[in-house]
Amino acid sequence: MSAPATPLVREFRHILLWPLQLRRLRRETGFATHWDVLRANPGPWKEVKDNLLVDDESCQSGYQDFVYFLPYVQRFLYGFGEADAQTPSSLHMFRRDDIATARVRLREEDSPIDLAVERARLVFFYDQDVAILAFEVVGRDLPLEDAIELMDRFGRPYPPYWDAPGQGAHCTFSVEFLDGGGRLLSASDYGDRDKYVGLVRDIKQTPLSLHWEYLLQPLVPAYLGGGILQYYQIENKRIPIMTYLALDEPRCLTRGDLTRIGYAAKWGPSETLPFAPRFLADFEHKHCYDRYWDGEDPASGMNTRFVFCGVAFAMITRHQDDRTDLVHTFRQQFFQIGLIANFHKAALLNLSNRFSIAVERLRVGDYASVRVFKDSVREALELFLRFNHRYWFHEISNQVLASDMFARWAHQLGSDALFREVREEAQDINQYLDADRTRKAGDNAMRLTVVSALGMAGTVVTGFLGMNLFNHTEYDPWHKFWIFMAVFVPTIALGLYTVVMSKRIATFFEAMSSERLTWRQKFSAFRQIWRPPPRAPRVRKRVAGGDEPSRRSAGQPAGGGRASSAPQS
């Protein structure tokens, strides 16, 4: 008996939502924002003047998208329409139309697959060093095996390892970008193992394939340098994806097919599962949203299933030539939901990274390091505060489908847990700054108290004797000046010396006020004012090859901290 034929995906739409961390602009560049830089040197990119009209100048479809969301989400996505609005728009979008086709070869022995490029957008976000690249490709009448392999392999910025000298694992064999005339614009280099290994070995940065570098130009990866607009990867290994698959009969998909689509896993026989049965026991309950899906009755008209698995979202439906509304909903409204969800996670990861780098660079005994740390974390705290009140929202629409999808998408991306973690980091750092301010205020109050206490005797004496104890009226001005300096300089020196010794004097005052100490002990505390404190004993740490005295003071922490996902300037 022959094996059943592989189903055909009549319409395959694959959108990459690639979050990027932008390197902060230096003041000497003369630009305030990243989109100002791109506006001045756009290259192949064109600025979108109105995000609502980017696909339809008549606003027929834009109207439907606009009313789909709540007012504060409308302002986030499409800006402020009032002529006198003072608040800057949250999104700044650019597009490029020079890439017409992405020619993909999954394996060396496979024939190329031509995918039409229908969207290439670069979105910047106000007040956040984050950008998202949206890249959409479309294929028709693809075997299900090729569609699933494209989901697994196409959105890979670099090969995690190599199956063969020229074949990167979990990557396509090659990707070529072609223009409208079929001319080659750029090609991938997944097979260049020496390049990837060398970059990781030499500069400890994750490299990108050449076709992704080309797509983002004039933005340049931070490991290359040489440009004003530089970026890092926020998340490695896989670019977040959203996929639309329309089949003649989606109910023909087996459980193995559905789980591979949901996880964007490697292709395998339909009768098998990609993971262990126990791991997939709650797959339908945990990852599938079946509001419009009835797997038993084809006549019910419930032919659409949504699957959320981590960074992958899939919409599986029945192919109908007259149902263009499903494609529009996926490309516009669901795309906006995915853009918001992935932006939330990217912004939170960026903020967490900034906190981590600031703490890692802190050296408690170094005044300059402490000052830079305080400036850095205060700026990060301000960014988090503005993100919390401007961008962080749980409800995006009063449409039940949109509300449920956003909640599931955000949960699968882990945004809620990440937000709590970043908020705890912000609270910890804020408590540290508050404690440091309180400690400094206490030290200053103690010094002022000591100086005032010691100066009280002189104040009382001069006040009791009056200011005419000595008569200097007969002296000339120069004699009076030198008499003034003879009193002024020792007084200032005594005051400064009192400040320097204030901690020891405060300890003596505390001993004098204690009723438990004897006069001998109080006198001993008085003598401690002029005795230096005992030094901490030097700790000798045994190392391989003998004993070596430790250069670290006793009780000083060894340092370290959570590793950051990307360095900052």
Side-chain angles (χ1 to χ4, degrees), residues 468 470-481 483:
N468 297 322
F470 300 102
N471 185 11
H472 298 141
T473 57
E474 298 179 356
Y475 291 99
D476 59 81
W478 276 107
H479 282 84
K480 294 179 182 180
F481 172 77
I483 292 172

Side-chain angles (χ1 to χ4, degrees), residues 216-523:
L216 287 166
Q217 289 177 355
L219 281 73
V220 296
Y223 61 81
L224 291 180
I228 300 178
L229 281 176
Q230 299 183 19
Y231 61 89
Y232 304 92
Q233 294 185 78
I234 293 181
E235 293 183 286
N236 298 332
K237 187 178 180 181
R238 169 172 283 182
I239 299 173
I241 61 173
M242 52 185 298
T243 311
Y244 175 91
L245 302 100
L247 300 93
D248 291 329
E249 179 50 73
R251 293 173 183 83
C252 70
L253 298 177
T254 66
R255 193 165 187 263
D257 296 333
L258 287 170
T259 52
R260 287 185 175 88
I261 291 173
Y263 285 102
K266 187 177 180 180
W267 168 256
S270 296
E271 63 274 11
T272 63
L273 296 175
F275 307 112
R278 181 175 295 181
F279 176 78
L280 297 173
D282 59 348
F283 172 78
E284 286 77 10
H285 173 73
K286 186 176 180 180
H287 298 290
C288 296
Y289 182 69
D290 292 342
R291 183 181 181 88
Y292 300 108
W293 173 257
D294 185 350
E296 304 297 332
D297 183 11
S300 64
M302 300 295 173
N303 303 313
T304 303
R305 190 172 213 179
F306 307 102
V307 187
F308 302 85
C309 294
V311 298
F313 161 72
M315 177 179 175
I316 306 167
T317 189
R318 186 173 182 177
H319 178 66
Q320 297 171 292
D321 294 332
D322 58 342
R323 290 298 303 275
T324 58
D325 57 324
L326 292 178
V327 175
H328 174 84
T329 301
F330 173 82
R331 297 192 70 240
Q332 301 299 329
Q333 296 154 11
F334 292 174
F335 167 75
Q336 302 287 15
I337 296 174
L339 182 70
I340 297 172
N342 281 279
F343 163 68
H344 280 177
K345 183 177 182 181
L348 289 169
L349 286 173
N350 181 46
L351 288 167
S352 179
N353 183 57
R354 294 186 68 160
F355 285 136
S356 298
I357 291 177
V359 174
E360 287 172 4
R361 294 177 177 176
L362 173 63
R363 301 294 180 265
V364 178
D366 186 348
Y367 173 78
S369 174
V370 173
R371 180 178 56 81
V372 172
F373 167 76
K374 290 181 179 180
D375 292 341
S376 299
V377 298
R378 285 195 184 100
E379 182 182 1
L381 287 171
E382 292 174 1
L383 289 176
F384 178 70
L385 179 64
R386 292 196 289 269
F387 169 82
N388 188 18
H389 290 277
R390 180 166 186 163
Y391 296 124
W392 183 250
F393 31 75
H394 293 277
E395 295 291 334
I396 64 169
S397 174
N398 53 15
Q399 301 286 336
V400 177
L401 175 61
S403 180
D404 290 348
M405 286 188 62
F406 180 71
R408 283 178 172 262
W409 211 324
H411 175 73
Q412 287 295 320
L413 291 174
S415 298
D416 288 333
L418 183 58
F419 177 81
R420 291 191 294 270
E421 179 183 345
V422 174
R423 183 171 58 183
E424 290 175 359
E425 292 177 1
Q427 290 173 347
D428 291 343
I429 291 178
N430 200 37
Q431 289 175 1
Y432 167 80
L433 295 178
D434 289 341
D436 185 67
R437 285 191 291 265
T438 302
R439 178 187 60 80
K440 285 189 173 182
D443 289 346
N444 292 333
M446 178 267 294
R447 290 184 176 91
L448 291 174
T449 301
V450 170
V451 173
S452 300
L454 294 181
M456 183 175 60
T459 302
V460 172
V461 171
T462 56
F464 180 77
L465 296 177
M467 297 302 295
N468 297 322
L469 182 62
F470 300 102
N471 185 11
H472 298 141
T473 57
E474 298 179 356
Y475 291 99
D476 59 81
W478 276 107
H479 282 84
K480 294 179 182 180
F481 172 77
W482 289 113
I483 292 172
F484 171 79
M485 294 301 296
V487 178
F488 177 75
V489 172
T491 303
I492 293 296
L494 179 62
L496 294 176
Y497 179 75
T498 304
V499 172
V500 172
M501 306 296 290
S502 58
K503 287 189 177 181
R504 302 182 192 178
I505 298 174
T507 303
F508 166 66
F509 283 176
E510 184 178 357
M512 287 295 295
S513 64
S514 176
E515 298 180 356
R516 298 182 180 181
L517 298 181
T518 64
W519 284 103
R520 182 185 297 274
Q521 291 172 325
K522 294 179 180 180
F523 181 71

Side-chain angles (χ1 to χ4, degrees), residues 33-55 57 89-97 120-124 218:
T33 63
H34 297 91
W35 53 89
D36 288 335
V37 181
L38 190 58
R39 188 184 293 126
N41 181 29
W45 297 96
K46 301 175 183 177
E47 185 178 8
V48 176
K49 299 298 184 181
D50 192 333
N51 299 340
L52 185 64
L53 308 179
V54 61
D55 292 313
E57 291 290 341
S89 179
S90 299
L91 299 187
H92 296 267
M93 186 181 297
F94 293 78
R95 63 184 296 174
R96 63 183 297 175
D97 304 313
R121 309 278 169 79
L122 189 59
V123 185
F124 297 93

Side-chain angles (χ1 to χ4, degrees), residues 3 109 132 212 418 491:
E109 64 274 10
I132 290 183
W212 296 125
L418 183 58
T491 303

Side-chain angles (χ1 to χ4, degrees), residues 200-216:
V200 170
R201 180 187 63 240
D202 297 338
I203 60 176
K204 307 300 185 295
Q205 287 289 313
T206 306
L208 302 177
S209 178
L210 285 178
H211 69 294
W212 296 125
E213 291 183 9
Y214 171 81
L215 180 60
L216 287 166

